[in-house]
């Protein structure tokens, strides 16, 4: 029922209304979305079970994964859901925090809307608060050494400690750091770029234990060699050639007619085909490869020539997998076998092996010298568990990537938000004019994150928040926050509860900018055409006179 309740509220509120009523409806919609995922924030978060469109189930506490499955009618609510997706694509974490914070920013604005404050005044105050909040982040941020594995591990662990896989200790954090450091590319000046989507593949194989998961120094693909009996399934230090052209006779583009006058012509035609394939294979075999991989087809005759020469072959590979293999073993993907050069052959792999896992065969190209792409092999009890582990791993890899890009740390456990809130409260006294009150309200809204953490820990919220505010009011220690597991008020440095600077800054920017955008909407107008009532006659279409009609009685008399 929890999922349906906000949806019903939202559907009922979608009526064409103006001014203050629209603001009220938008704020209610935003709050409803925030309330759906509020309980999934923090290490003691609850999980949601979602029935997806295909009829399968998803068990997760990832904000983005939950919201993208929910069907909501209200346009303001849809806009809120979009925030979560933006956050996920940009920094990969903080998808729940951004919704909770944006919802709270709108909630505290409701008082001013009721008092007939102009939305532009509220937005101006919020923008000022955002600038000051980012300045506070810069002030309390702590640099981190990306080469120090222990501090990297602590940061990734604390970022995914709120997830389902937090119970498995260092496992997912280790996998994430190994994968991102393997696939990272140095851009110079201490900058590193990690393309998670392109060069890190996650292969989920049900069965085994989660502890059997590992990062391969190379690539794993769900393929077997084309002729298992004749071709080798294990090659040490293979020479690899990658093609994206077919090794078979080219068929005619569309209809091709061949006129054969006598019986021998047919034989000549077949010999020409065979000669063509033989030449293709000869050009490939000239470079003495051990493994040939093509994205296209491989004819039976080509398989014969390759297996005769002791070469293993894999066909019909995905383009993305081929790119990863090229990055891992140092090969170059070639379009035409005639253009092959020695420099195109990949020699960086230490081992090619085909193994059977469960019912399927997987080809491993591993032990690469300097792989710039890798595969993370995940094992687990069931598909549902594996899907959730993969979502958590994606978040962990995003966090590791963010640190490599911008190596700065902030305190977790709501400490950052409390510090920002306390600083903004102090600054609000120096804000002049009518903007002072919305500015102070924005300062209070930042406390939504530690308050939600306290709620999800099952603590006395008022007592806990009062204690936390007291510790931050005099600005003595910006690192005091809430331990989401035990519910203690502690120094985050001691407990090693960190947050990435990139994620926090992006969360604040996205939440406040989205709140300002929704506040500046003063009308909701439907652009959807109404369905025609059954039995009503269709509107008459304008008649257009054609040439055929021009010859009837209605012609103008001479």
């Amino acid at each position: 029922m929890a999922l349906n309740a906000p949806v019903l509220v939202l559907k009922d509120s979608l009526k064409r209304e103006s001014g203050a009523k629209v603001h009220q409806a938008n704020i209610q919609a935003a709050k409803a979305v925030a309330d759906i995922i509020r309980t999934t924030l923090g290490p003691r978060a609850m999980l949601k079970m979602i029935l997806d469109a295909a009829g399968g189930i998803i068990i997760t506490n990832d904000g983005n994964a939950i919201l993208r499955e929910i069907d909501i009618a209200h346009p303001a609510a849809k806009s809120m859901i979009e925030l979560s997706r933006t956050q996920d694509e940009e920094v990969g974490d903080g998808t729940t925090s951004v919704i909770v914070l944006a919802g709270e920013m709108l909630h505290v604005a409701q008082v001013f809307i009721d008092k007939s404050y102009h939305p532009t005044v509220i937005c101006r105050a919020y923008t000022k608060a955002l600038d000051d909040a980012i300045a506070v982040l810069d002030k309390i941020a702590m640099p981190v050494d990306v080469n120090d594995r222990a501090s990297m591990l602590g940061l990734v662990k604390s970022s995914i400690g709120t997830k389902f896989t937090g119970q498995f200790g260092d496992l997912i954090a280790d996998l994430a750091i190994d994968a991102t450091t393997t696939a990272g590319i140095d851009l110079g000046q201490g900058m590193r770029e990690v393309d998670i989507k392109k060069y890190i593949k996650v292969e989920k194989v049900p069965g085994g234990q989660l502890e059997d998961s590992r990062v391969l120094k190379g690539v794993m693909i769900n393929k077997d060699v084309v002729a298992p009996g004749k071709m080798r399934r294990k090659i040490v230090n293979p020479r690899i050639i990658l093609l994206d052209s077919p090794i078979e006779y080219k068929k005619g583009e569309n209809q091709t007619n061949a006129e054969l006058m006598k019986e021998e012509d047919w034989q000549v035609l077949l010999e020409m085909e065979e000669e063509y394939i033989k030449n293709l294979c000869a050009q490939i075999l000239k470079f003495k490869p051990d493994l040939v991989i093509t994205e296209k087809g491989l004819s039976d005759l080509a398989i014969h020539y390759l297996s005769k020469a002791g070469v293993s072959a894999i066909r019909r590979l995905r383009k993305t997998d081929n790119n990863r293999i090229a990055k891992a073993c140092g090969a170059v993907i070639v379009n035409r076998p005639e253009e092959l050069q020695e420099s195109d052959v990949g020699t960086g792999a230490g081992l090619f092996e085909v193994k059977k896992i469960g019912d399927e065969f997987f080809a491993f190209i591993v032990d690469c010298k300097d792989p710039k792409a890798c595969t993370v092999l995940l094992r687990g009890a069931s598909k549902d568990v594996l899907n959730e582990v993969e979502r958590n791993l994606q978040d962990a890899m995003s966090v590791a990537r963010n640190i490599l890009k911008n190596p700065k740390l902030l305190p977790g456990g709501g400490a950052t938000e409390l510090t920002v809130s306390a600083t903004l409260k102090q600054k609000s006294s120096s804000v002049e004019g009518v903007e002072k009150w919305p500015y102070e309200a924005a300062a209070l809204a930042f406390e939504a994150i530690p308050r939600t953490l306290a709620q999800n820990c099952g603590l006395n919220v008022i007592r806990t928040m009062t204690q936390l505010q007291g510790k931050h009011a005099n600005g003595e220690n910006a690192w005091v926050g809430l331990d989401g597991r035990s519910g203690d008020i502690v120094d985050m440095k001691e407990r090693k509860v960190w947050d990435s600077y990139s994620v926090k800054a992006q969360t604040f920017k996205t939440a406040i900018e989205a709140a300002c955008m929704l506040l500046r909407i003063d009308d909701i107008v439907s652009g959807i055409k109404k369905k025609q009532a059954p039995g009503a006659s269709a509107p008459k279409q304008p008649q257009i006179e054609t040439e055929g009609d021009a010859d009837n009685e209605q012609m103008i008399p001479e």
Side-chain angles (χ1 to χ4, degrees):
M1 188 60 206
L3 282 183
N4 289 342
V7 179
L8 294 172
V9 171
L10 301 176
K11 281 182 178 168
D12 293 341
S13 64
L14 186 57
K15 293 168 184 157
R16 194 193 172 288
E17 296 162 330
S18 296
K21 282 189 178 177
V22 167
H23 289 128
Q24 302 278 10
N26 287 351
I27 290 167
Q28 289 300 324
K31 274 186 66 186
V33 172
D35 288 341
I36 291 170
I37 60 167
R38 193 182 291 279
T39 56
T40 67
L41 188 75
R44 289 278 177 253
M46 307 304 284
L47 291 163
K48 303 276 184 194
M49 182 183 270
I50 306 158
L51 187 70
D52 68 7
I57 59 160
I58 299 169
I59 301 170
T60 182
N61 69 348
D62 180 80
N64 182 46
I66 295 164
L67 289 178
R68 69 171 175 232
E69 297 295 339
I70 293 177
D71 179 33
I72 287 181
H74 199 286
K78 283 182 178 171
S79 170
M80 286 284 286
I81 290 170
E82 200 64 27
L83 295 189
S84 175
R85 197 173 66 83
T86 309
Q87 182 81 359
D88 194 53
E89 284 176 8
E90 187 65 28
V91 287
D93 198 19
T95 51
T96 305
S97 307
V98 75
I99 298 287
V100 171
L101 190 56
E104 192 67 19
M105 285 286 169
L106 287 164
H107 176 56
V108 296
Q110 189 161 1
V111 180
F112 305 108
I113 296 290
D114 293 344
K115 288 181 180 173
S116 302
Y117 271 58
H118 197 280
T120 311
V121 174
I122 303 171
C123 293
R124 231 181 0 244
Y126 276 14
T127 309
K128 202 177 280 183
L130 173 61
D131 293 340
D132 291 343
I134 299 296
V136 174
L137 293 188
D138 291 331
K139 189 176 158 191
I140 64 169
M142 193 176 86
V144 61
D145 178 13
V146 292
N147 297 317
D148 177 10
R149 190 178 172 90
S151 61
M152 285 281 286
L153 192 65
L155 178 55
V156 176
K157 235 178 101 177
S158 64
S159 295
I160 61 157
T162 61
K163 312 280 183 195
F164 167 74
T165 48
Q167 61 195 331
F168 298 107
D170 299 353
L171 177 72
I172 296 296
D174 267 326
L175 292 176
I177 292 170
D178 286 344
T180 44
T181 45
T182 303
I185 300 163
D186 277 314
L187 302 173
Q189 298 166 348
M191 297 282 286
R192 278 175 77 78
E193 178 61 52
V194 184
D195 195 330
I196 293 172
K197 278 196 174 119
K198 259 190 183 175
Y199 299 126
I200 301 176
K201 175 80 184 287
V202 179
E203 281 283 359
K204 299 171 291 191
V205 183
Q209 288 179 294
L210 198 61
E211 286 74 21
D212 300 338
S213 305
R214 62 188 197 275
V215 175
L216 306 170
K217 282 192 96 56
V219 180
M220 161 190 171
I221 46 175
N222 190 352
K223 288 277 178 189
D224 192 5
V225 292
V226 286
K230 299 175 185 173
M231 291 176 172
R232 289 179 291 169
R233 274 185 167 159
K234 186 173 181 179
I235 305 167
V236 180
N237 295 327
R239 286 169 59 81
I240 301 172
I241 285 179
L242 301 178
L243 302 169
D244 72 348
S245 61
I247 312 175
E248 56 190 355
Y249 191 73
K250 277 186 185 154
K251 297 171 181 68
E253 287 298 319
N254 35 36
Q255 283 188 326
T256 309
N257 293 327
E259 200 169 308
L260 307 175
M261 305 304 289
K262 48 187 186 291
E263 200 179 321
E264 294 81 51
D265 290 353
W266 181 248
Q267 192 62 34
V268 171
L269 201 65
L270 291 175
E271 281 169 12
M272 278 166 67
E273 281 192 24
E274 286 180 20
E275 193 63 32
Y276 175 77
I277 292 168
K278 193 175 183 180
N279 287 341
L280 275 185
C281 293
Q283 280 154 353
I284 293 165
L285 295 171
K286 201 162 53 178
F287 293 93
K288 299 187 170 54
D290 297 306
L291 177 64
V292 174
I293 298 176
T294 177
E295 292 172 28
K296 305 286 196 309
L298 194 62
S299 70
D300 291 348
L301 192 62
I303 292 169
H304 164 71
Y305 286 125
L306 292 174
S307 62
K308 201 171 161 189
V311 177
S312 297
I314 292 173
R315 66 180 162 197
R316 297 205 174 87
L317 196 71
R318 283 199 195 103
K319 180 88 182 161
T320 49
D321 285 338
N322 214 9
N323 287 337
R324 271 189 281 272
I325 294 170
K327 281 276 182 188
C329 70
V332 176
I333 299 170
V334 180
N335 296 318
R336 298 169 57 162
E338 307 94 75
E339 293 169 2
L340 265 168
Q341 297 171 354
E342 180 59 38
S343 58
D344 298 335
V345 180
T347 54
L351 176 70
F352 164 73
E353 191 175 10
V354 176
K355 286 185 190 169
K356 191 175 186 186
I357 304 177
D359 287 343
E360 298 188 65
F361 286 95
F362 291 89
F364 293 81
I365 297 167
V366 288
D367 300 339
C368 300
K369 288 182 191 124
D370 183 23
K372 290 289 170 227
C374 63
T375 300
V376 183
L377 173 60
L378 290 182
R379 306 301 310 274
S382 71
K383 277 187 179 174
D384 290 330
V385 171
L386 277 175
N387 287 338
E388 179 63 359
V389 171
E390 187 195 9
R391 278 191 287 272
N392 296 173
L393 179 65
Q394 291 291 352
D395 284 357
M397 289 193 296
S398 298
V399 170
R401 179 195 63 192
N402 293 334
I403 304 159
L404 290 172
K405 275 179 147 181
N406 190 353
K408 281 194 207 165
L409 297 183
L410 288 167
T416 304
E417 285 82 4
L418 285 161
T419 307
V420 168
S421 179
T423 313
L424 294 186
K425 277 179 200 166
Q426 286 170 359
K427 279 197 175 182
S428 68
S429 56
S430 62
V431 177
E432 293 177 358
V434 77
E435 288 170 25
K436 174 182 164 68
W437 311 113
Y439 184 96
E440 207 170 287
L444 284 168
F446 279 103
E447 291 177 358
I449 302 290
R451 196 187 317 123
T452 305
L453 279 173
Q455 276 172 347
N456 291 347
C457 286
L459 301 173
N460 182 324
V461 178
I462 296 170
R463 190 176 297 158
T464 308
M465 286 305 294
T466 309
Q467 283 177 290
L468 283 167
Q469 284 162 349
K471 289 196 181 292
H472 280 269
N474 51 14
E476 62 188 47
N477 190 351
W479 292 73
V480 172
L482 192 68
D483 184 326
R485 284 197 161 74
S486 60
D488 300 332
I489 293 171
V490 285
D491 189 324
M492 293 291 121
K493 265 184 195 159
E494 288 170 18
R495 292 286 168 103
K496 290 190 168 49
V497 179
W498 316 108
D499 262 329
S500 160
Y501 175 89
S502 310
V503 173
K504 267 292 174 253
Q506 185 66 37
T507 302
F508 289 4
K509 286 175 191 169
T510 310
I512 291 179
E513 284 171 15
C516 289
M517 185 189 72
L518 286 173
L519 284 173
R520 290 169 73 167
I521 296 167
D522 71 340
D523 216 340
I524 297 176
V525 183
S526 173
I528 305 163
K529 286 180 183 168
K530 282 186 179 176
K531 282 185 182 171
Q532 201 176 325
S537 60
K540 289 187 84 176
Q541 294 291 320
Q543 297 263 319
I544 299 166
E545 199 171 84
T546 59
E547 270 186 81
D549 300 330
D551 221 28
N552 61 16
E553 301 83 53
Q554 291 177 4
M555 284 179 67
I556 300 163
E558 291 176 10

